[in-house]
Amino acid sequence: MEDVLDVYVRPYDPAVPVVCMDEKPYQLLDHARAPLPAAPGRDLKEDCEYVRGGTCSIFVWVEPLAGHRRVNARRRRTRLDWAEEVDRLLTCDYPDAQKVVLVMDNLNTHTIGSLYETFEPAKARELAARLEIHYTPKHGSWLNIAEIELAALTRQCLDRRIADLDILNTELAAWQQATNDDQRQVNWHFTTSDARIRLRHLYPEL
């Protein structure tokens, strides 16, 4: 826990940006019957019956101090998917960064080994050398700022049925653009000192 909290108090450095990532499963759903549109004095009406369109995984990447987010959905969340997302992070989002400090949960796909399973050893090594990884502790997902962004995304963008992956990515891109235009930064207040006082029950007794 303290490891992640210490990362969050680092000053902003565009050469070494701090990026938080998280992902969530999402079920694609379509209407079995066309909804009745809203009208004066009448709300939108949707049939409770729906058509399943499969599942996908939404990836969220957040740079808290810059107020920048990237969101997209992929059909799966395998090691290959995570590795390709990291490749895009380093080569497209932050091509000039010396190193990217990555905060995320300790999922079995979130490892340097995933890079080596996806790319040639030379490229995997090049990508890995530009990562500084910090894992949130078990049952400590609340420490991941990307999880907070996922909650906001769910309320603001995913509160309706979305039928297929292309439509979902279009909606995610619109949310991403609007949020980035707003440049909403994350001002994290909970510090290591706070943890030692308010969460002292988590520390061993000496």
Side-chain angles (χ1 to χ4, degrees):
M1 176 174 60
E2 292 188 0
D3 176 56
V4 173
L5 293 175
D6 288 346
V7 168
Y8 286 165
V9 297
R10 295 182 186 181
Y12 176 64
D13 184 355
V16 188
V18 174
V19 177
C20 304
M21 76 83 52
D22 199 6
E23 55 188 85
K24 68 170 289 181
Y26 184 77
Q27 186 174 28
L28 300 168
L29 300 174
D30 199 1
H31 296 284
R33 299 172 186 83
L36 298 177
R42 186 183 69 192
D43 294 332
L44 171 72
K45 294 183 178 180
E46 295 180 347
D47 196 297
C48 61
E49 187 177 352
Y50 54 84
V51 178
R52 297 178 186 272
T55 59
C56 61
S57 188
I58 298 175
F59 289 79
V60 175
W61 306 81
V62 184
E63 187 183 355
L65 296 181
H68 180 267
R69 296 139 183 91
R70 177 167 63 80
V71 189
N72 72 297
R74 302 176 71 102
R75 183 61 66 182
R76 303 175 302 167
R77 63 162 189 84
T78 63
R79 292 177 179 272
L80 181 144
D81 293 291
W82 181 81
E84 290 180 346
E85 287 288 316
V86 169
D87 183 29
R88 180 178 174 183
L89 177 78
L90 295 174
T91 60
C92 299
D93 298 338
Y94 300 98
D96 300 323
Q98 300 172 10
K99 190 180 288 288
V100 171
V101 181
L102 187 56
V103 177
M104 59 186 172
D105 59 13
N106 197 7
L107 196 64
N108 63 338
T109 58
H110 298 169
T111 67
I112 296 299
S114 296
L115 300 176
Y116 282 89
E117 291 184 25
T118 305
F119 305 113
E120 292 294 324
K123 179 173 182 177
R125 176 57 183 163
E126 180 182 349
L127 294 174
R130 295 183 58 211
L131 288 176
E132 178 187 325
I133 296 176
H134 297 264
Y135 291 112
T136 57
K138 187 177 181 181
H139 306 305
S141 59
W142 58 274
L143 287 166
N144 192 344
I145 291 174
E147 182 169 283
I148 300 171
E149 292 297 320
L150 267 176
L153 170 67
T154 300
R155 292 192 309 270
Q156 299 167 3
C157 181
L158 305 178
D159 58 347
R160 60 196 183 282
R161 294 174 186 171
I162 299 178
D164 63 56
L165 193 63
D166 290 337
I167 296 175
L168 175 59
N169 273 317
T170 299
E171 296 293 329
L172 293 176
W175 181 87
Q176 171 187 301
Q177 184 66 47
T179 308
N180 286 341
D181 287 346
D182 189 40
Q183 288 191 320
R184 175 170 51 82
Q185 299 172 331
V186 178
N187 187 8
W188 185 269
H189 291 282
F190 194 78
T191 65
T192 297
S193 297
D194 295 327
R196 292 173 181 173
I197 296 171
R198 299 170 61 182
L199 301 177
R200 60 183 180 273
H201 62 281
L202 298 178
Y203 288 81
E205 295 184 6
L206 302 179

